[in-house]
Amino acid sequence: MTPPTPAPTAVGAQAPPERAERAEPARARRRGPRAPGRIRHASLPYLLLLPALALELLIHLVPMVIGAVMSFKTLTQFYIRDWSTAPWAGLDNYKLSVDFSAPVGKDLLDSFVTTCLFTVASVALCWLLGTAAAVFTQESFRGRGLLRALFLVPYALPVYAAVITWAFMFQRDNGLVNHVLHDQLGLGGDRAFWLIGDNSFYALLTVSVWKGWPFAFLIVTAGLQNIPKELYEAAAIDGAGVWQQIRRITLPSLRPVNQVLVLVLFLWTFNDFNTPYVLFGRSAPKAADLISIHIYQSSFVTWNFGTGAAMSVLLVLFLLVVTGVYLLLTSRGRKSANV
Amino acid sequence: MRRLRAAAAFATVTALAATASACGGGSDTGGSGGNDSPKSLTYWASNQGPSIEADKKILTAELRKFEQRTGIKVKLEVVPWSDLLNRILAATTSGQGPDVLNIGNTWSASLQATGALLPWDRAAFDAIGGRARFADSAVAAAGAPGKDPAAVPLYSLSYALYYNKKMFADAGIAKPPATWDELVADGKRLSKDGKWALGAEGANLANNIHQVFVLGKQHGADFFDSAGKPTFTSEGAVAAVKQYVDFMAKDKIVAPGSAEYAQNQSLRDFSTGRTAMVLWQAAASTFAAQGMKPEDWGVAPVPVPAGTPDAAKNVNSMVAGINISVFKNTHNRDGALQFVKFMTSDEEQRILNKTYGSIPPVKAAQQDPAFGAPDTSVLRETLLRSAAPLPQVPEESQFETAVGTAVKDLWADAAAGRAVTTESVEAALAKAQQQMPK
């Protein structure tokens, strides 16, 4: 599908028309024979990627490899001054992590399940709210700019400041949440606990969605810019209602954008450390024990860095598999859609 | 282009997935303390006063004195308790840390095991005036037995029972409770009309440990045996934890809201008259900062099962306190020793401990009449007669986390109205014990 407007946007930008692609080699031919040392056209993209790949190697891959090496060591406080001297543990850390009959493995599994439930719920709600808000503000109306700006406030606030404010609001005795629910609306008998016990899951989910949905809104808003108005006009002439237009035009057109959006939200949410850490401190309640906090605890609180590293490696493998499968499925979907 | 997209996708996925990877540690830069930076020191102080700013003000005046005398400029950073251990750990791993730092004395053996701190052998102690200047119980909480201490005692503290005189008088209670039975009986009279008898910090792991350790001692239990192996599920340990959580679950003298406290909110509750008693270490300056007059509160020894506090059978506090350590990787070893000597001098010990309401671990300074005031004399007597150090084992940090979290979860059960039974306490402690490194 080629957009009617030539202005590309950050998301959903289209490839330029073929004529433009052919124009560059034509110009190159007019300049005569290739000068020695001239960058070959085919390798140019890779050269452009090189700085990013070098930094990727330095910032991500090297620490990942070190982390993987650590996972095969008995790394406790006795060795952290020079972790390379820690004795090899073989697969012991991995066995400990996946022994679901023992406390360490069982807790990791519980934390993993909690994280999966939390991620699915958070991503779904973020996407739903973001999409709804983007569709709602698609048409121009008075105050739309202000409303859009307001929607983005949670995304613009520093995470720590925002989450610590939520932590105050969720306090049982003096928090705003219970004040509204209990004192003003008269709901329930006793004041609920939000920062300990089972409700902590919902407190965490609330903050996560509040923090995450503006990003979904931003991306979907950008995606909506690329849907030609003519499609809606044609559909309206054919008698399609608003809901049908959303179902038949908006959502299918947003598919490529949503695929990236859901993947990014999934990874961010699954690995979210800041929110639970600021909300609950070093030891999160069991109901909100996300895997990022759990691994942090294993490493930095109980000082079993080898076990923590093994858990991290397992987590990375899981995320790579999920992401790989997701990309495979979505690329197949794209291919079949193009046929 | 398709290949390019695949490469870009791979790079993106790797980058995103990598956010979950473990961070690599630094390596030891060797170093048992050099002197290549003789005119400056970096000092991480723990937060002792009502706020970080108050501490900066208090300490800056003293550091200026040190600079005038030695010409060494001290760069001060007051680190909040919530960050201090992580910061020390990061410094240990990277080799990039301060020259001198404060540590909670309960961490001494754990941090000693890392090898990051300068051991205080005879020569090092001699450089600061000798080991004999310090109280034995304070030095006992500066490292594992049989090893050169990893730190020097700086401020000593113990627990005391602070009580609101007016609330006691209103309830017709003449004197503070001396035994737990009395505390519960008084507590039931005090807990009414939205007010509660006893403050607690249910989500504060360290505080939980301090309380159950003492109760454990009173039940004849230790959380580690003589070989350093955890014994969390001993009958005495289970009874101690249950007794502590039962103040809320069974006796109903602790506000349910206390289960989520972790930031010293119980002191605020006490200052504002919402609770009548709180078990704390040197809380006077905080009460004053929160607007409570000194005549409004009294202080008494922490209750015991029966009779009076006594080192043999009625331990009623852990040996609390702050130690000062020198980082092995210091670039100013001599200056660091000079600084520790300054901070532990009789004069500075008097000034600083007076300011913070703590007790000097330096014997000569303890004799100052200022430490004979009603509140500090209780702390001093407790330290002298009935305080015991927490287990000085390398796994102390893990113990605080594992058992502290178990107690925190039990508080949450109690607050939610769920039953806290001997079986549930035992199960929680058994799980904590299984989480300890083998």
Side-chain angles (χ1 to χ4, degrees):
Chain A
M1 185 186 68
T2 310
T5 51
T9 54
V11 177
Q14 305 291 313
E18 271 188 42
R19 247 177 335 173
E21 266 187 2
R22 280 202 301 268
E24 178 55 33
R27 269 207 304 277
R29 275 200 302 275
R30 276 202 300 275
R31 287 182 195 136
R34 188 185 299 280
R38 173 98 187 263
I39 296 165
R40 283 187 57 233
H41 177 76
S43 60
L44 179 67
Y46 296 97
L47 281 169
L48 292 174
L49 275 175
L50 201 62
L53 286 173
L55 284 172
E56 185 59 33
L57 193 74
L58 199 71
I59 293 165
H60 278 136
L61 291 176
V62 170
M64 273 175 87
V65 170
I66 291 171
V69 172
M70 282 180 176
S71 70
F72 295 101
K73 287 182 166 260
T74 306
L75 188 57
T76 58
Q77 67 262 45
F78 294 96
Y79 304 102
I80 58 168
R81 279 192 90 216
D82 187 355
W83 63 268
S84 60
T85 60
W88 290 98
L91 290 172
D92 287 359
N93 290 322
Y94 289 91
K95 285 177 187 162
L96 188 69
S97 301
V98 297
D99 179 4
F100 301 136
S101 60
V104 174
K106 189 182 176 308
D107 279 359
L108 182 68
L109 182 66
D110 289 349
S111 170
F112 176 75
V113 171
T114 301
T115 310
C116 287
L117 290 172
F118 166 75
T119 305
V120 168
S122 176
V123 171
L125 287 168
C126 284
W127 179 83
L128 207 63
L129 280 171
T131 305
V135 170
F136 175 68
T137 56
Q138 196 177 3
E139 291 300 322
S140 186
F141 57 85
R142 185 191 289 258
R144 182 176 73 160
L146 179 70
L147 200 61
R148 278 179 168 178
L150 279 177
F151 282 168
L152 290 175
V153 165
Y155 188 57
L157 284 174
V159 172
Y160 190 93
V163 179
I164 202 88
T165 306
W166 275 104
F168 291 144
M169 284 163 51
F170 277 124
Q171 280 183 1
R172 177 184 183 260
D173 293 338
N174 313 309
L176 183 72
V177 173
N178 273 353
H179 176 66
V180 171
L181 294 178
H182 190 266
D183 301 343
Q184 298 194 316
L185 300 177
L187 298 174
D190 280 348
R191 284 167 172 269
F193 281 97
W194 296 102
L195 299 174
I196 55 172
D198 295 345
N199 287 341
S200 55
F201 180 86
Y202 302 106
L204 183 61
L205 186 63
T206 305
V207 180
S208 174
V209 172
W210 176 86
K211 206 164 59 78
W213 80 267
F215 176 73
F217 165 70
L218 194 68
I219 299 296
V220 174
T221 299
L224 289 175
Q225 314 276 331
N226 285 320
I227 303 174
K229 276 199 168 57
E230 293 84 347
L231 286 177
Y232 291 109
E233 287 163 3
I237 288 166
D238 289 341
V242 172
W243 179 237
Q244 270 192 308
Q245 287 178 27
I246 290 171
R247 263 189 57 205
R248 306 281 182 192
I249 300 169
T250 309
L251 290 178
S253 306
L254 283 176
R255 189 171 294 152
V257 173
N258 278 334
Q259 282 168 355
V260 176
L261 173 65
V262 167
L263 177 65
V264 169
L265 279 177
F266 165 78
L267 289 169
W268 282 357
T269 310
F270 203 95
N271 291 326
D272 190 9
F273 176 83
N274 296 334
T275 312
Y277 186 80
V278 178
L279 210 53
F280 305 117
R282 285 190 321 165
S283 79
K286 200 163 169 50
D289 186 24
L290 294 193
I291 204 147
S292 56
I293 286 277
H294 193 84
I295 291 173
Y296 162 82
Q297 264 214 317
S298 304
S299 300
F300 292 91
V301 180
T302 53
W303 298 13
N304 291 326
F305 295 93
T307 310
M311 290 174 180
S312 293
V313 170
L314 291 171
L315 180 63
V316 170
L317 289 175
F318 168 77
L319 289 175
L320 279 172
V321 167
V322 168
T323 309
V325 168
Y326 179 85
L327 286 174
L328 202 69
L329 290 176
T330 52
S331 69
R332 272 192 194 160
R334 273 201 303 272
K335 275 181 196 157
S336 60
N338 291 337
V339 169
Chain B
M1 283 313 274
R2 189 173 299 158
R3 261 183 315 169
L4 187 62
R5 259 207 305 269
F10 173 76
T12 309
V13 168
T14 312
L16 290 166
T19 55
S21 72
C23 293
S27 61
D28 178 18
T29 52
S32 52
N35 282 308
D36 47 313
S37 180
K39 284 294 158 204
S40 67
L41 283 173
T42 307
Y43 174 42
W44 284 358
S46 49
N47 175 205
Q48 297 302 126
S51 69
I52 301 273
E53 286 311 311
D55 276 340
K56 278 185 189 164
K57 210 167 146 186
I58 292 161
L59 290 169
T60 303
E62 305 311 308
L63 301 184
R64 210 172 287 131
K65 228 185 280 177
F66 177 70
E67 190 181 352
Q68 281 164 356
R69 289 177 198 174
T70 61
I72 298 171
K73 183 156 183 54
V74 182
K75 187 168 164 253
L76 168 73
E77 186 179 350
V78 181
V79 184
W81 279 106
S82 52
D83 296 343
L84 188 57
L85 194 55
N86 268 358
R87 294 279 302 274
I88 296 170
L89 221 50
T92 302
T93 312
S94 67
Q96 305 295 316
D99 299 289
V100 186
L101 66 158
N102 287 5
I103 62 173
N105 68 351
T106 59
W107 307 338
S108 297
S110 288
L111 291 173
Q112 184 177 42
T114 68
L117 304 177
L118 195 78
W120 287 83
D121 55 15
R122 194 187 175 123
F125 260 120
D126 286 346
I128 62 166
R131 183 174 173 153
R133 293 178 62 239
F134 297 89
D136 286 340
S137 65
V139 180
K147 290 186 174 168
D148 288 328
V152 174
L154 182 66
Y155 314 124
S156 282
L157 289 156
S158 68
Y159 272 84
L161 174 76
Y162 292 87
Y163 63 98
N164 184 314
K165 288 178 178 173
K166 186 175 181 301
M167 287 173 81
F168 267 59
D170 290 349
I173 303 165
K175 59 181 181 51
T179 66
W180 292 117
D181 288 345
E182 286 174 19
L183 182 133
V184 171
D186 291 348
K188 286 178 176 169
R189 291 163 67 178
L190 289 158
S191 300
K192 57 176 194 269
D193 307 329
K195 299 200 161 118
W196 295 85
L198 184 65
E201 294 269 329
N204 181 329
L205 308 190
N207 192 282
N208 284 339
I209 287 294
H210 299 169
Q211 310 292 358
V212 300
F213 164 76
V214 168
L215 291 169
K217 282 279 187 194
Q218 294 177 0
H219 283 273
D222 269 313
F223 283 84
F224 288 87
D225 64 17
S226 54
K229 290 266 173 282
T231 52
F232 301 168
T233 51
S234 69
E235 203 176 313
V238 172
V241 172
K242 186 167 188 304
Q243 182 186 354
Y244 187 45
V245 180
D246 268 348
F247 289 144
M248 182 191 291
K250 183 162 84 61
D251 306 322
K252 314 275 186 220
I253 60 169
V254 171
S258 307
E260 70 177 15
Y261 285 2
Q263 308 289 340
N264 303 354
Q265 294 98 319
S266 56
L267 296 185
R268 166 75 58 186
D269 282 356
F270 182 82
S271 301
T272 53
R274 290 182 65 194
T275 54
M277 291 180 278
V278 66
L279 298 163
W280 210 264
Q281 326 167 23
S285 63
T286 307
F287 296 154
Q290 292 174 351
M292 203 176 185
K293 295 188 193 76
E295 59 269 26
D296 292 344
W297 51 267
V299 62
V302 173
V304 287
T308 52
D310 168 303
K313 62 177 183 1
N314 276 342
V315 167
N316 70 340
S317 173
M318 40 90 72
V319 175
I322 310 301
N323 293 340
I324 188 164
S325 291
V326 174
F327 206 57
K328 248 190 202 168
N329 292 49
T330 176
H331 293 279
N332 187 2
R333 186 178 185 276
D334 293 349
L337 289 176
Q338 272 182 287
F339 181 63
V340 175
K341 186 179 182 179
F342 169 79
M343 293 291 277
T344 54
S345 65
D346 294 0
E347 178 201 6
E348 283 308 307
Q349 281 284 295
R350 282 192 195 97
I351 294 169
L352 289 168
N353 282 288
K354 247 184 244 179
T355 308
Y356 287 131
S358 48
I359 306 296
V362 171
K363 292 177 203 165
Q366 276 183 4
Q367 304 314 315
D368 190 290
F371 302 108
D375 58 331
T376 40
S377 65
V378 170
L379 300 179
R380 191 174 62 180
E381 289 307 301
T382 299
L383 269 176
L384 278 172
R385 296 187 330 116
S386 55
L390 275 175
Q392 289 294 318
V393 292
E395 296 81 16
E396 200 281 336
S397 173
Q398 289 95 321
F399 156 64
E400 276 197 28
T401 305
V403 175
T405 302
V407 178
K408 174 185 168 178
D409 292 343
L410 290 163
W411 278 123
D413 284 347
R418 282 192 287 266
V420 175
T421 62
T422 301
E423 291 71 31
S424 71
V425 172
E426 196 170 351
L429 289 173
K431 192 177 143 190
Q433 181 159 321
Q434 286 172 307
Q435 287 170 325
M436 293 293 286
K438 295 289 176 285

